[in-house]
Amino acid sequence: MISKREYRRKRQADWTRFEALIHKVDSKGWKKLSGNDASQFSQLFREVCHDLSIVRTRDWGAGLTSYLNELVTKGHNIFYKAPPTRSHDFFAFLSRGFPCIFRRNIGFFITAAVMFFLPLGITWVVVQNRTELATRILPVQQLDQMEDMYAESSFEDFGSSRAAMGGFYIMNNVGIALRCFAMGVLLGTGTVYLLLTNGIVIGATIGYLVGKGHGENILSFVVSHGSFELTAIAVAGGAGLMLGEAIVHPGRRTRLDSLRTRGLEAVQIAGGAAVMLVVAAMIEAFWSPAPIADQIKYAAGGMLWLLVILYLTLAGRGEEVA
Amino acid sequence: MSSLDLTSSDVPAIVELHSAIETPENVVLTYRLAGPALRLWAYVIDTVIRGIVLFVAAIIASISEMAIEGVPVGLWLVLLFLMEWGYFAIFEGFFRGKTIGKHAMNIRVIQEAGYPISFWSALMRNFLRAADMIPLYGIGFISAFTSGKFRRLGDLAAGTVVIEERKVQLPREPIILEKIQPLSRSDIGTYVPPHKTLTLIEEFLQRRFVVTHQRGHELAARLAKVLAKKLNFQGQANFVEEYPMAFLACVYVTFHRTMNNDADEEHHHNPDQRQPAVAGEAMITSP
């Protein structure tokens, strides 16, 4: 059997060479590597793997083992690099991937939509008929503020601050949707809670304003961006429920495995919902408060609802995008 | 250390910080997991950076607000959103698992299977921060300490682990051994220490400067005593007790030819009559 020292003497040049190649890739990236270097890299990688096995089986000590382990680890990380994410992929994801994955898991969306839209509708109807009940849900101050805001039909004072509002809507609404998704990991409880509370609060607000006689103002304002916004909250909620379900009903997998494999689709759905909410924020900032006739807003709003429905039901149909 | 009785119950349990995976090349790789302290520091650094960026942006926004009303505030709010939900995911997704704080602490997020983290995994582990953060990362901490590999919920769902990256160098040869005399054959029995034990001694000697002489002797004492007994060492009476490190070195020198076959002929030299204790002195006082 060859001695440790001899083995080291024989192999050391290759190890140093491999180290240098790793350094080269680390600092300059794969693309700058010459063809010769690249093929040498893959050959040396396999050789160093072999060296590591030998050193391990012969018990040549932790020092040498951890040195080679480090080399192989670095090589492994470079060799099996994650596929790069390109802007092209982003659009492919939005136009086909996201709606496909969404439809594959549409049951969760329907459940979340019921949990969100049902309390929304019920509180809307109840509060509209007895506006004093709204104070049980929202503080009086906030209700007064809302009433002031929607008392006039136009939003002239919004004019200069539209961009600021756009930023606020992104920060606030996308945040709510992502939280709605993330809390799903607490066995779905967080998602259910957020869906119900958001539904109740939104329902109470709309019901209160409609009941106070500002129906035209609030509804013409909400109808356009509501298409993307309300749907996206239910979409994100559905993704959150997927996380919860993956843990509660793991099937034949372990709970961890189940969370990991099914979570991959869930997070992609949540990502898509986030993009939908960014679109909603733009509509809410620049279109919804614009001084335009209500009829036109209703028409545009109807178109947007149709667009959202068609997008989610038809986009990417007939393609198998993972 | 299998042949030596060092695994008895009074040895404290080792905190498992290693994670092993098997590569497609059928090699088992071990990773050193990043402990909670390192991760906390990385998080603190990232939080400070995010705060500074937002603060500076707020100043710029409030100045430019005079020129274009609304837009700077809107952009600042988008930045606030990105800092809250995107900072970690973007850095980890596009910079091979490292944020600035992680880079500073030399830690990295990887897939549990050893691959670099993918974009969606980075998104998952950082979206779930929202759940881990309740209250004050309480859930994250509980999860990290019960999951076995310091994984918070985000890590569990994304299938990621945070590892420590250390610069590992090819170990040096224990040069000092040239000065140390082997044990006299008349002082020891026929027992030949196993290969593994000699490797252990070699590594110990390579790293002996990491600790003080006193601690070095303390660490060496257990093995030295066991070996002295097995070897039936008849030499100088208190040598083993007083200079266990030196004794181990002598044992190594005595047997390392067996270990390295005959490849080290050139390193071998004639034993002279120096006392083992003197050799011990030479070793423990050397820098």
Side-chain angles (χ1 to χ4, degrees):
Chain A
M1 195 169 96
I2 189 166
S3 84
K4 175 181 173 181
R5 235 162 250 194
E6 193 148 318
Y7 192 83
R8 235 181 99 149
R9 225 170 280 149
K10 223 178 75 183
R11 299 289 305 136
Q12 203 162 340
D14 275 351
W15 299 341
T16 328
R17 174 87 190 109
F18 190 60
E19 238 180 303
L21 279 176
I22 287 174
H23 186 71
K24 212 167 172 182
V25 176
D26 258 349
S27 53
K28 293 181 185 159
W30 260 118
K31 283 175 192 157
K32 293 274 161 61
L33 225 56
S34 70
N36 192 23
D37 275 352
S39 67
Q40 205 185 3
F41 179 93
S42 71
Q43 193 196 335
L44 282 174
F45 177 51
R46 294 205 158 77
E47 283 178 17
V48 176
C49 284
H50 183 66
D51 291 332
L52 176 58
S53 309
I54 288 183
V55 169
R56 274 236 180 86
T57 45
R58 296 193 186 165
D59 279 328
W60 275 338
L64 197 54
T65 310
S66 68
Y67 168 73
L68 289 173
N69 184 68
E70 191 69 8
L71 278 189
V72 175
T73 303
K74 288 212 165 114
H76 182 76
N77 237 290
I78 290 169
F79 205 71
Y80 297 99
K81 205 177 165 80
T85 321
R86 291 181 301 266
S87 55
H88 164 80
D89 297 334
F90 179 70
F91 293 110
F93 170 72
L94 283 187
S95 61
R96 301 189 298 274
F98 165 57
C100 281
I101 297 166
F102 167 81
R103 281 194 298 275
R104 215 181 294 157
N105 300 286
I106 197 152
F108 294 99
F109 166 74
I110 292 170
T111 316
V114 169
M115 284 183 195
F116 178 60
F117 286 110
L118 195 66
L120 190 155
I122 292 171
T123 35
W124 178 346
V125 171
V126 170
V127 172
Q128 187 177 333
N129 292 321
R130 289 182 62 192
T131 49
E132 71 275 12
L133 285 177
T135 54
R136 302 249 183 120
I137 297 164
L138 290 162
V140 183
Q141 269 167 310
Q142 201 178 326
L143 290 169
D144 290 345
Q145 212 181 333
M146 287 280 189
E147 216 183 328
D148 286 345
M149 231 159 86
Y150 293 97
E152 297 146 40
S153 62
S154 71
F155 295 81
E156 265 147 45
D157 51 330
F158 263 75
S160 60
S161 58
R162 276 182 204 170
M165 289 311 288
F168 173 76
Y169 296 140
I170 289 179
M171 186 206 73
N172 189 58
N173 298 354
V174 184
I176 289 174
L178 291 182
R179 205 157 281 128
C180 212
F181 161 70
M183 298 304 165
V185 81
L186 310 175
L187 307 181
T189 52
T191 302
V192 173
Y193 172 78
L194 284 173
L195 284 173
L196 293 178
T197 49
N198 275 295
I200 289 168
V201 167
I202 293 171
T205 311
I206 297 177
Y208 180 75
L209 292 171
V210 174
K212 287 285 181 182
H214 309 303
E216 286 293 301
N217 293 344
I218 177 74
L219 293 179
S220 67
F221 175 74
V222 167
V223 68
S224 303
H225 64 258
S227 57
F228 278 90
E229 188 177 82
L230 301 177
T231 317
I233 288 176
V235 170
L241 295 180
M242 283 172 75
L243 292 186
E245 217 257 355
I247 305 171
V248 177
H249 294 134
R252 291 183 159 198
R253 293 196 179 96
T254 67
R255 284 176 211 281
L256 207 57
D257 251 1
S258 156
L259 177 64
R260 209 163 292 161
T261 37
R262 286 151 75 183
L264 186 65
E265 296 210 328
V267 73
Q268 298 191 34
I269 293 173
V275 176
M276 283 178 75
L277 279 156
V278 172
V279 175
M282 291 298 120
I283 300 172
E284 186 170 3
F286 296 103
W287 169 262
S288 297
I292 294 167
D294 286 352
Q295 285 78 4
I296 299 176
K297 282 194 184 171
Y298 285 128
M303 296 285 284
L304 285 170
W305 277 99
L306 193 65
L307 182 73
V308 169
I309 293 166
L310 290 178
Y311 169 60
L312 289 176
T313 52
L314 296 180
R317 185 163 270 212
E319 283 184 60
E320 261 315 304
V321 182
Chain B
M1 295 196 290
S2 54
S3 59
L4 296 160
D5 187 27
L6 291 182
T7 49
S8 52
S9 56
D10 56 347
V11 178
I14 297 162
V15 177
E16 188 51 72
L17 268 173
H18 287 90
S19 169
I21 56 132
E22 197 177 336
T23 75
E25 289 79 21
N26 295 322
V27 183
V28 174
L29 287 184
T30 55
Y31 288 97
R32 199 182 154 81
L33 297 168
L38 277 180
R39 292 177 65 174
L40 188 65
W41 274 114
Y43 181 76
V44 168
I45 292 170
D46 284 324
T47 305
V48 169
I49 288 170
R50 287 188 297 161
I52 291 171
V53 168
L54 283 172
F55 182 71
V56 171
I59 292 171
I60 296 170
S62 56
I63 293 168
S64 48
E65 184 73 8
M66 295 165 199
I68 9 161
E69 228 178 303
V71 177
V73 174
L75 290 177
W76 188 81
L77 287 165
V78 171
L79 186 69
L80 179 62
F81 166 74
L82 285 177
M83 284 293 162
E84 191 185 349
W85 291 95
Y87 175 91
F88 289 96
I90 290 166
F91 269 107
E92 287 172 11
F94 294 105
F95 295 90
R96 299 219 280 141
K98 281 187 168 189
T99 62
I100 298 170
K102 286 192 174 66
H103 186 77
M105 300 315 295
N106 244 323
I107 59 179
R108 188 200 290 278
V109 189
I110 59 165
Q111 299 296 164
E112 230 172 330
Y115 305 109
I117 187 169
S118 73
F119 172 72
W120 289 116
S121 295
L123 216 56
M124 175 67 110
R125 95 181 275 281
N126 290 300
F127 278 179
L128 292 202
R129 227 171 247 285
D132 274 314
M133 275 173 78
I134 332 173
L136 286 170
Y137 276 99
I139 290 183
F141 267 103
I142 293 169
S143 161
F145 281 106
T146 49
S147 61
K149 286 183 185 173
F150 295 121
R151 288 171 298 176
R152 55 178 183 80
L153 292 183
D155 285 318
L156 290 171
T160 53
V161 286
V162 185
I163 56 157
E164 197 180 319
E165 286 192 319
R166 287 178 310 170
K167 181 128 189 72
V168 175
Q169 284 180 329
L170 196 56
R172 290 177 305 161
E173 309 264 350
I175 318 152
I176 196 99
L177 294 179
E178 320 293 292
K179 292 184 198 156
I180 292 168
Q181 301 316 308
L183 300 168
S184 163
R185 288 282 167 188
S186 58
D187 286 345
I188 52 175
T190 52
Y191 176 76
V192 176
H195 191 82
K196 228 175 172 172
T197 309
L198 292 175
T199 308
L200 184 75
I201 296 173
E202 184 187 288
E203 298 206 317
F204 176 69
L205 295 178
Q206 274 165 359
R207 292 196 240 162
R208 72 193 179 283
F209 299 120
V210 174
V211 292
T212 60
H213 294 139
Q214 204 188 353
R215 183 72 186 130
H217 282 307
E218 271 170 40
L219 288 169
R222 289 180 75 87
L223 183 58
K225 262 181 218 156
V226 175
L227 273 178
K229 204 174 162 196
K230 291 222 180 195
L231 284 164
N232 199 16
F233 179 63
Q234 303 292 328
Q236 202 179 323
N238 47 7
F239 180 41
V240 178
E241 274 73 27
E242 279 181 31
Y243 304 108
M245 233 190 332
F247 177 72
L248 286 186
C250 292
V251 172
Y252 179 75
V253 170
T254 314
F255 294 101
H256 89 293
R257 285 185 64 209
T258 347
M259 177 186 176
N260 288 296
N261 295 342
D262 45 4
D264 293 308
E265 222 48 90
E266 71 258 41
H267 294 294
H268 186 67
H269 46 105
N270 297 322
D272 58 28
Q273 305 313 309
R274 275 162 68 190
Q275 291 291 309
V278 178
E281 290 293 351
M283 202 187 108
I284 55 172
T285 51
S286 58

